Amino acid sequence: MDAPINIKINEGMDFFIKKPNARLLSYIDLIWASNGKPSFKEERIIPDGSCLLLFNFGKPVASVSAKLHLPIKRCVFTGVFTNFISMKYESEEKIHQQVGVIFKSGGAYPFIKIPIEEFKNQAIDADLINKNLFENIYHDLGEVESCETKILILEKLLTNILSKFDSLTL
């Protein structure tokens, strides 16, 4: 099993990335986690055709686009966007900890079981998709401090979800 790689964003901010295991590779581009105090107040996410599942363990982060304003409190799923999204970090003094999954085109379906076109230019609380599933994942990830461990736990949980999906579709 490959370990997550630590990429320094700035002093005091760690960013870990991991390519998913072979089982998830057809569905997921990257699993990532961040922890620390960003030296920036805004981050722009450029549209790339990907959907995102994001777990936030710190203060709410504002996400803003032309048609969207959603505070990311705990867990959010975003569809494909046609314009950039700004993530606004209110204070550099606050610790931010997030874990995310970047899905390949069409790769989110086995995990959300709703056609992706329903989410074009949308970001919603993931609990509205499947409250029990995403609350349980959030709880499991919240039990550990280490970003590396959060990534490995999330990878295992996603692999289990995919296995259940496969057994239902056979």
CSV table of all heavy atoms in Angstrom, one decimal, residues 41-92:
chain,number,residue,atom,x,y,z
A,41,LYS,N,-5.8,33.7,2.1
A,41,LYS,CA,-7.2,33.9,2.5
A,41,LYS,C,-8.2,33.4,1.5
A,41,LYS,O,-9.4,33.2,1.9
A,41,LYS,CB,-7.5,35.4,2.8
A,41,LYS,CG,-6.7,35.9,4.0
A,41,LYS,CD,-7.2,37.3,4.4
A,41,LYS,CE,-6.3,37.8,5.5
A,41,LYS,NZ,-7.0,37.9,6.8
A,42,GLU,N,-7.7,33.1,0.3
A,42,GLU,CA,-8.6,32.6,-0.7
A,42,GLU,C,-7.9,31.6,-1.6
A,42,GLU,O,-6.7,31.8,-2.0
A,42,GLU,CB,-9.2,33.8,-1.6
A,42,GLU,CG,-10.2,33.4,-2.6
A,42,GLU,CD,-10.8,34.5,-3.4
A,42,GLU,OE1,-10.6,35.7,-3.0
A,42,GLU,OE2,-11.4,34.3,-4.4
A,43,GLU,N,-8.6,30.6,-2.0
A,43,GLU,CA,-8.1,29.6,-2.9
A,43,GLU,C,-9.1,29.5,-4.1
A,43,GLU,O,-10.3,29.3,-3.8
A,43,GLU,CB,-8.0,28.3,-2.2
A,43,GLU,CG,-7.6,27.1,-3.0
A,43,GLU,CD,-7.6,25.8,-2.1
A,43,GLU,OE1,-8.2,25.8,-1.0
A,43,GLU,OE2,-7.0,24.8,-2.6
A,44,ARG,N,-8.6,29.5,-5.3
A,44,ARG,CA,-9.6,29.3,-6.4
A,44,ARG,C,-9.4,28.0,-7.0
A,44,ARG,O,-8.3,27.5,-7.3
A,44,ARG,CB,-9.3,30.4,-7.5
A,44,ARG,CG,-9.8,31.7,-7.1
A,44,ARG,CD,-9.9,32.6,-8.3
A,44,ARG,NE,-10.6,33.8,-7.9
A,44,ARG,CZ,-10.7,34.9,-8.6
A,44,ARG,NH1,-10.2,34.9,-9.8
A,44,ARG,NH2,-11.4,35.9,-8.2
A,45,ILE,N,-10.5,27.3,-7.2
A,45,ILE,CA,-10.5,26.0,-7.8
A,45,ILE,C,-11.1,26.1,-9.2
A,45,ILE,O,-12.2,26.5,-9.4
A,45,ILE,CB,-11.4,25.0,-6.9
A,45,ILE,CG1,-10.8,24.9,-5.5
A,45,ILE,CG2,-11.5,23.6,-7.6
A,45,ILE,CD1,-11.7,24.2,-4.5
A,46,ILE,N,-10.2,25.8,-10.1
A,46,ILE,CA,-10.5,25.9,-11.5
A,46,ILE,C,-11.3,24.7,-12.0
A,46,ILE,O,-11.0,23.6,-11.7
A,46,ILE,CB,-9.2,26.0,-12.4
A,46,ILE,CG1,-8.3,27.1,-11.8
A,46,ILE,CG2,-9.5,26.2,-13.8
A,46,ILE,CD1,-8.8,28.5,-11.8
A,47,PRO,N,-12.4,24.9,-12.8
A,47,PRO,CA,-13.2,23.8,-13.3
A,47,PRO,C,-12.3,22.8,-14.2
A,47,PRO,O,-11.6,23.3,-15.0
A,47,PRO,CB,-14.3,24.4,-14.1
A,47,PRO,CG,-13.8,25.8,-14.4
A,47,PRO,CD,-12.8,26.2,-13.4
A,48,ASP,N,-12.4,21.5,-13.8
A,48,ASP,CA,-11.6,20.6,-14.6
A,48,ASP,C,-12.4,19.3,-14.9
A,48,ASP,O,-11.9,18.3,-15.3
A,48,ASP,CB,-10.4,20.2,-13.8
A,48,ASP,CG,-10.7,19.5,-12.4
A,48,ASP,OD1,-11.9,19.3,-12.1
A,48,ASP,OD2,-9.8,19.1,-11.7
A,49,GLY,N,-13.7,19.4,-14.8
A,49,GLY,CA,-14.6,18.2,-15.1
A,49,GLY,C,-14.7,17.2,-14.0
A,49,GLY,O,-15.3,16.1,-14.2
A,50,SER,N,-14.2,17.5,-12.9
A,50,SER,CA,-14.2,16.5,-11.7
A,50,SER,C,-15.3,16.9,-10.7
A,50,SER,O,-15.7,18.0,-10.6
A,50,SER,CB,-12.8,16.6,-11.0
A,50,SER,OG,-11.8,16.2,-11.8
A,51,CYS,N,-15.7,15.8,-10.1
A,51,CYS,CA,-16.6,16.0,-8.9
A,51,CYS,C,-15.7,15.8,-7.7
A,51,CYS,O,-14.7,15.2,-7.7
A,51,CYS,CB,-17.7,14.9,-8.9
A,51,CYS,SG,-18.8,15.0,-10.2
A,52,LEU,N,-16.2,16.4,-6.6
A,52,LEU,CA,-15.4,16.4,-5.3
A,52,LEU,C,-16.2,16.0,-4.1
A,52,LEU,O,-17.4,16.5,-4.0
A,52,LEU,CB,-14.8,17.8,-5.1
A,52,LEU,CG,-14.0,18.1,-3.8
A,52,LEU,CD1,-12.7,17.3,-3.8
A,52,LEU,CD2,-13.8,19.5,-3.6
A,53,LEU,N,-15.7,15.2,-3.3
A,53,LEU,CA,-16.3,14.9,-2.0
A,53,LEU,C,-15.3,15.5,-0.9
A,53,LEU,O,-14.1,15.2,-0.9
A,53,LEU,CB,-16.5,13.4,-1.8
A,53,LEU,CG,-17.0,13.0,-0.4
A,53,LEU,CD1,-18.5,13.5,-0.2
A,53,LEU,CD2,-17.0,11.4,-0.4
A,54,LEU,N,-15.8,16.4,-0.1
A,54,LEU,CA,-14.9,17.1,0.9
A,54,LEU,C,-15.5,17.0,2.3
A,54,LEU,O,-16.6,17.2,2.6
A,54,LEU,CB,-14.9,18.6,0.5
A,54,LEU,CG,-14.1,19.5,1.4
A,54,LEU,CD1,-12.6,19.2,1.4
A,54,LEU,CD2,-14.3,21.0,1.0
A,55,PHE,N,-14.6,16.6,3.2
A,55,PHE,CA,-14.9,16.5,4.6
A,55,PHE,C,-14.1,17.6,5.3
A,55,PHE,O,-12.9,17.7,5.1
A,55,PHE,CB,-14.5,15.1,5.2
A,55,PHE,CG,-15.2,14.0,4.6
A,55,PHE,CD1,-14.8,13.3,3.5
A,55,PHE,CD2,-16.5,13.6,5.2
A,55,PHE,CE1,-15.5,12.3,2.9
A,55,PHE,CE2,-17.2,12.5,4.6
A,55,PHE,CZ,-16.7,11.9,3.5
A,56,ASN,N,-14.7,18.4,6.1
A,56,ASN,CA,-14.1,19.6,6.8
A,56,ASN,C,-14.1,19.3,8.3
A,56,ASN,O,-15.2,19.1,8.8
A,56,ASN,CB,-14.8,20.9,6.4
A,56,ASN,CG,-14.2,22.1,7.0
A,56,ASN,OD1,-13.0,22.2,7.1
A,56,ASN,ND2,-15.0,23.0,7.6
A,57,PHE,N,-13.0,19.4,8.9
A,57,PHE,CA,-12.9,19.2,10.3
A,57,PHE,C,-12.5,20.4,11.1
A,57,PHE,O,-12.2,20.3,12.3
A,57,PHE,CB,-11.9,18.0,10.6
A,57,PHE,CG,-12.3,16.7,10.1
A,57,PHE,CD1,-11.9,16.3,8.8
A,57,PHE,CD2,-13.2,15.9,10.7
A,57,PHE,CE1,-12.3,15.1,8.2
A,57,PHE,CE2,-13.7,14.7,10.2
A,57,PHE,CZ,-13.2,14.3,9.0
A,58,GLY,N,-12.5,21.5,10.5
A,58,GLY,CA,-12.2,22.8,11.2
A,58,GLY,C,-13.4,23.7,11.1
A,58,GLY,O,-14.5,23.3,11.0
A,59,LYS,N,-13.1,25.0,11.2
A,59,LYS,CA,-14.1,26.0,11.1
A,59,LYS,C,-14.7,26.0,9.7
A,59,LYS,O,-14.1,25.6,8.7
A,59,LYS,CB,-13.5,27.4,11.3
A,59,LYS,CG,-13.0,27.7,12.6
A,59,LYS,CD,-14.1,28.3,13.5
A,59,LYS,CE,-13.6,28.7,14.8
A,59,LYS,NZ,-14.6,29.1,15.7
A,60,PRO,N,-16.0,26.4,9.6
A,60,PRO,CA,-16.6,26.4,8.2
A,60,PRO,C,-15.8,27.3,7.3
A,60,PRO,O,-15.2,28.3,7.6
A,60,PRO,CB,-18.0,27.0,8.5
A,60,PRO,CG,-18.3,26.7,9.9
A,60,PRO,CD,-17.0,26.8,10.6
A,61,VAL,N,-15.8,26.8,6.0
A,61,VAL,CA,-15.1,27.5,5.0
A,61,VAL,C,-16.1,27.9,3.9
A,61,VAL,O,-16.9,27.1,3.5
A,61,VAL,CB,-14.0,26.6,4.3
A,61,VAL,CG1,-13.3,27.3,3.1
A,61,VAL,CG2,-13.0,26.2,5.3
A,62,ALA,N,-16.1,29.2,3.6
A,62,ALA,CA,-17.1,29.7,2.6
A,62,ALA,C,-16.6,29.2,1.2
A,62,ALA,O,-15.5,29.4,0.8
A,62,ALA,CB,-17.2,31.2,2.6
A,63,SER,N,-17.6,28.7,0.4
A,63,SER,CA,-17.3,28.4,-1.0
A,63,SER,C,-18.2,29.3,-1.8
A,63,SER,O,-19.4,29.3,-1.6
A,63,SER,CB,-17.5,26.9,-1.3
A,63,SER,OG,-18.8,26.5,-1.0
A,64,VAL,N,-17.7,30.0,-2.8
A,64,VAL,CA,-18.4,31.0,-3.5
A,64,VAL,C,-18.1,30.8,-5.0
A,64,VAL,O,-16.9,30.7,-5.4
A,64,VAL,CB,-18.1,32.4,-3.1
A,64,VAL,CG1,-18.9,33.4,-3.8
A,64,VAL,CG2,-18.3,32.6,-1.6
A,65,SER,N,-19.2,30.8,-5.8
A,65,SER,CA,-19.0,30.9,-7.3
A,65,SER,C,-20.1,31.9,-7.8
A,65,SER,O,-20.8,32.5,-7.0
A,65,SER,CB,-19.1,29.5,-7.9
A,65,SER,OG,-20.4,29.1,-7.9
A,66,ALA,N,-20.2,31.9,-9.1
A,66,ALA,CA,-21.2,32.8,-9.7
A,66,ALA,C,-22.6,32.6,-9.2
A,66,ALA,O,-23.3,33.5,-9.0
A,66,ALA,CB,-21.1,32.7,-11.2
A,67,LYS,N,-22.9,31.3,-9.0
A,67,LYS,CA,-24.3,31.0,-8.6
A,67,LYS,C,-24.4,30.3,-7.3
A,67,LYS,O,-25.4,29.7,-6.9
A,67,LYS,CB,-24.9,30.1,-9.7
A,67,LYS,CG,-25.0,30.7,-11.0
A,67,LYS,CD,-25.6,29.8,-12.0
A,67,LYS,CE,-25.6,30.4,-13.4
A,67,LYS,NZ,-26.1,29.5,-14.4
A,68,LEU,N,-23.3,30.2,-6.5
A,68,LEU,CA,-23.3,29.4,-5.3
A,68,LEU,C,-22.7,30.2,-4.1
A,68,LEU,O,-21.7,30.9,-4.3
A,68,LEU,CB,-22.5,28.2,-5.6
A,68,LEU,CG,-22.1,27.3,-4.4
A,68,LEU,CD1,-23.2,26.5,-4.0
A,68,LEU,CD2,-20.9,26.4,-4.8
A,69,HIS,N,-23.2,30.0,-3.0
A,69,HIS,CA,-22.6,30.4,-1.7
A,69,HIS,C,-23.0,29.4,-0.7
A,69,HIS,O,-24.1,29.3,-0.3
A,69,HIS,CB,-23.0,31.8,-1.3
A,69,HIS,CG,-22.4,32.2,0.0
A,69,HIS,ND1,-21.1,32.6,0.1
A,69,HIS,CD2,-22.9,32.2,1.3
A,69,HIS,CE1,-20.8,32.8,1.3
A,69,HIS,NE2,-21.8,32.6,2.1
A,70,LEU,N,-22.0,28.5,-0.4
A,70,LEU,CA,-22.3,27.4,0.6
A,70,LEU,C,-21.1,27.3,1.6
A,70,LEU,O,-20.0,27.1,1.2
A,70,LEU,CB,-22.4,26.1,-0.2
A,70,LEU,CG,-22.6,24.8,0.7
A,70,LEU,CD1,-24.0,24.8,1.3
A,70,LEU,CD2,-22.4,23.6,-0.2
A,71,PRO,N,-21.4,27.5,2.8
A,71,PRO,CA,-20.4,27.3,3.8
A,71,PRO,C,-20.1,25.8,4.0
A,71,PRO,O,-21.1,25.0,4.1
A,71,PRO,CB,-21.0,27.9,5.1
A,71,PRO,CG,-22.4,27.9,4.9
A,71,PRO,CD,-22.7,27.9,3.4
A,72,ILE,N,-18.9,25.4,3.9
A,72,ILE,CA,-18.5,24.0,4.0
A,72,ILE,C,-18.3,23.7,5.5
A,72,ILE,O,-17.3,24.2,6.1
A,72,ILE,CB,-17.3,23.6,3.2
A,72,ILE,CG1,-17.6,23.9,1.7
A,72,ILE,CG2,-16.9,22.2,3.5
A,72,ILE,CD1,-16.4,23.7,0.8
A,73,LYS,N,-19.3,23.1,6.1
A,73,LYS,CA,-19.3,22.8,7.5
A,73,LYS,C,-18.7,21.5,7.9
A,73,LYS,O,-17.7,21.4,8.6
A,73,LYS,CB,-20.7,22.9,8.1
A,73,LYS,CG,-21.3,24.3,8.0
A,73,LYS,CD,-22.7,24.3,8.5
A,73,LYS,CE,-23.3,25.7,8.2
A,73,LYS,NZ,-24.7,25.7,8.5
A,74,ARG,N,-19.2,20.4,7.3
A,74,ARG,CA,-18.8,19.1,7.6
A,74,ARG,C,-18.4,18.3,6.4
A,74,ARG,O,-17.3,17.8,6.2
A,74,ARG,CB,-19.8,18.3,8.4
A,74,ARG,CG,-20.0,18.9,9.8
A,74,ARG,CD,-21.2,18.3,10.5
A,74,ARG,NE,-21.3,16.8,10.5
A,74,ARG,CZ,-21.1,16.0,11.5
A,74,ARG,NH1,-20.7,16.5,12.7
A,74,ARG,NH2,-21.2,14.7,11.4
A,75,CYS,N,-19.4,18.1,5.5
A,75,CYS,CA,-19.2,17.2,4.3
A,75,CYS,C,-20.0,17.7,3.1
A,75,CYS,O,-21.2,18.0,3.3
A,75,CYS,CB,-19.6,15.8,4.7
A,75,CYS,SG,-19.4,14.6,3.3
A,76,VAL,N,-19.3,17.9,2.0
A,76,VAL,CA,-19.9,18.5,0.8
A,76,VAL,C,-19.6,17.7,-0.4
A,76,VAL,O,-18.5,17.1,-0.5
A,76,VAL,CB,-19.4,20.0,0.6
A,76,VAL,CG1,-19.8,20.5,-0.7
A,76,VAL,CG2,-19.9,20.9,1.7
A,77,PHE,N,-20.6,17.5,-1.3
A,77,PHE,CA,-20.3,16.9,-2.6
A,77,PHE,C,-20.5,18.0,-3.7
A,77,PHE,O,-21.5,18.7,-3.6
A,77,PHE,CB,-21.3,15.7,-2.9
A,77,PHE,CG,-21.1,15.1,-4.2
A,77,PHE,CD1,-20.0,14.3,-4.4
A,77,PHE,CD2,-21.9,15.4,-5.2
A,77,PHE,CE1,-19.8,13.7,-5.7
A,77,PHE,CE2,-21.7,14.9,-6.5
A,77,PHE,CZ,-20.7,14.0,-6.7
A,78,THR,N,-19.6,18.1,-4.6
A,78,THR,CA,-19.7,19.1,-5.7
A,78,THR,C,-19.8,18.3,-7.0
A,78,THR,O,-19.1,17.4,-7.2
A,78,THR,CB,-18.6,20.1,-5.7
A,78,THR,OG1,-17.4,19.4,-6.2
A,78,THR,CG2,-18.4,20.8,-4.4
A,79,GLY,N,-20.6,18.8,-7.9
A,79,GLY,CA,-20.7,18.3,-9.2
A,79,GLY,C,-19.7,19.0,-10.1
A,79,GLY,O,-18.8,19.7,-9.6
A,80,VAL,N,-19.8,18.8,-11.4
A,80,VAL,CA,-18.9,19.4,-12.3
A,80,VAL,C,-19.3,20.9,-12.4
A,80,VAL,O,-20.4,21.3,-12.6
A,80,VAL,CB,-19.0,18.8,-13.7
A,80,VAL,CG1,-18.2,19.5,-14.7
A,80,VAL,CG2,-18.6,17.3,-13.6
A,81,PHE,N,-18.3,21.8,-12.3
A,81,PHE,CA,-18.5,23.2,-12.4
A,81,PHE,C,-18.0,23.8,-13.7
A,81,PHE,O,-17.0,23.3,-14.3
A,81,PHE,CB,-17.8,24.0,-11.2
A,81,PHE,CG,-18.6,24.0,-10.0
A,81,PHE,CD1,-18.7,22.9,-9.1
A,81,PHE,CD2,-19.4,25.1,-9.7
A,81,PHE,CE1,-19.4,23.0,-8.0
A,81,PHE,CE2,-20.2,25.2,-8.6
A,81,PHE,CZ,-20.2,24.1,-7.7
A,82,THR,N,-18.7,24.8,-14.2
A,82,THR,CA,-18.3,25.4,-15.5
A,82,THR,C,-17.6,26.7,-15.2
A,82,THR,O,-17.1,27.4,-16.1
A,82,THR,CB,-19.5,25.6,-16.4
A,82,THR,OG1,-20.5,26.4,-15.7
A,82,THR,CG2,-20.1,24.3,-16.8
A,83,ASN,N,-17.5,27.1,-13.9
A,83,ASN,CA,-16.8,28.3,-13.6
A,83,ASN,C,-16.0,28.0,-12.3
A,83,ASN,O,-16.2,27.0,-11.6
A,83,ASN,CB,-17.7,29.5,-13.4
A,83,ASN,CG,-18.8,29.2,-12.4
A,83,ASN,OD1,-19.2,28.1,-12.3
A,83,ASN,ND2,-19.4,30.2,-11.8
A,84,PHE,N,-15.0,28.9,-12.0
A,84,PHE,CA,-14.2,28.6,-10.8
A,84,PHE,C,-15.0,28.8,-9.5
A,84,PHE,O,-16.0,29.5,-9.5
A,84,PHE,CB,-12.9,29.5,-10.8
A,84,PHE,CG,-13.1,30.9,-10.5
A,84,PHE,CD1,-13.2,31.4,-9.2
A,84,PHE,CD2,-13.2,31.9,-11.5
A,84,PHE,CE1,-13.4,32.7,-8.9
A,84,PHE,CE2,-13.4,33.2,-11.2
A,84,PHE,CZ,-13.5,33.6,-9.9
A,85,ILE,N,-14.5,28.2,-8.4
A,85,ILE,CA,-15.1,28.3,-7.1
A,85,ILE,C,-14.0,29.0,-6.2
A,85,ILE,O,-12.8,28.6,-6.3
A,85,ILE,CB,-15.4,27.0,-6.5
A,85,ILE,CG1,-16.5,26.3,-7.4
A,85,ILE,CG2,-16.0,27.1,-5.1
A,85,ILE,CD1,-16.7,24.8,-6.9
A,86,SER,N,-14.4,29.9,-5.4
A,86,SER,CA,-13.4,30.5,-4.4
A,86,SER,C,-13.7,29.9,-3.1
A,86,SER,O,-14.8,29.8,-2.6
A,86,SER,CB,-13.6,32.0,-4.3
A,86,SER,OG,-13.2,32.6,-5.5
A,87,MET,N,-12.7,29.4,-2.4
A,87,MET,CA,-12.7,28.9,-1.1
A,87,MET,C,-12.1,30.0,-0.2
A,87,MET,O,-11.0,30.4,-0.4
A,87,MET,CB,-11.9,27.6,-0.9
A,87,MET,CG,-12.4,26.5,-1.8
A,87,MET,SD,-14.0,25.8,-1.4
A,87,MET,CE,-13.5,24.8,0.0
A,88,LYS,N,-12.9,30.5,0.7
A,88,LYS,CA,-12.5,31.7,1.5
A,88,LYS,C,-12.2,31.3,2.9
A,88,LYS,O,-13.1,30.8,3.6
A,88,LYS,CB,-13.5,32.8,1.4
A,88,LYS,CG,-13.7,33.3,0.0
A,88,LYS,CD,-14.5,34.5,-0.1
A,88,LYS,CE,-14.6,34.8,-1.6
A,88,LYS,NZ,-14.6,36.2,-1.8
A,89,TYR,N,-10.9,31.5,3.3
A,89,TYR,CA,-10.5,31.1,4.7
A,89,TYR,C,-10.5,32.4,5.5
A,89,TYR,O,-9.7,33.3,5.2
A,89,TYR,CB,-9.1,30.5,4.6
A,89,TYR,CG,-9.1,29.2,3.8
A,89,TYR,CD1,-8.8,29.2,2.5
A,89,TYR,CD2,-9.4,28.0,4.4
A,89,TYR,CE1,-8.8,28.1,1.7
A,89,TYR,CE2,-9.5,26.8,3.6
A,89,TYR,CZ,-9.1,26.9,2.3
A,89,TYR,OH,-9.1,25.8,1.5
A,90,GLU,N,-11.4,32.5,6.4
A,90,GLU,CA,-11.6,33.8,7.1
A,90,GLU,C,-10.4,34.3,7.9
A,90,GLU,O,-10.2,35.4,8.0
A,90,GLU,CB,-12.8,33.6,8.1
A,90,GLU,CG,-14.1,33.4,7.4
A,90,GLU,CD,-15.3,33.2,8.4
A,90,GLU,OE1,-15.1,33.4,9.6
A,90,GLU,OE2,-16.4,32.9,7.9
A,91,SER,N,-9.7,33.4,8.5
A,91,SER,CA,-8.6,33.8,9.3
A,91,SER,C,-7.4,32.9,9.1
A,91,SER,O,-7.5,31.7,9.2
A,91,SER,CB,-9.0,33.8,10.8
A,91,SER,OG,-7.9,34.0,11.6
A,92,GLU,N,-6.2,33.5,9.0
A,92,GLU,CA,-5.0,32.7,8.9
A,92,GLU,C,-4.6,32.1,10.2
A,92,GLU,O,-3.8,31.2,10.3
A,92,GLU,CB,-3.8,33.6,8.4
A,92,GLU,CG,-4.0,34.1,7.0
A,92,GLU,CD,-3.0,35.2,6.6
A,92,GLU,OE1,-2.0,35.3,7.3
A,92,GLU,OE2,-3.2,35.9,5.6
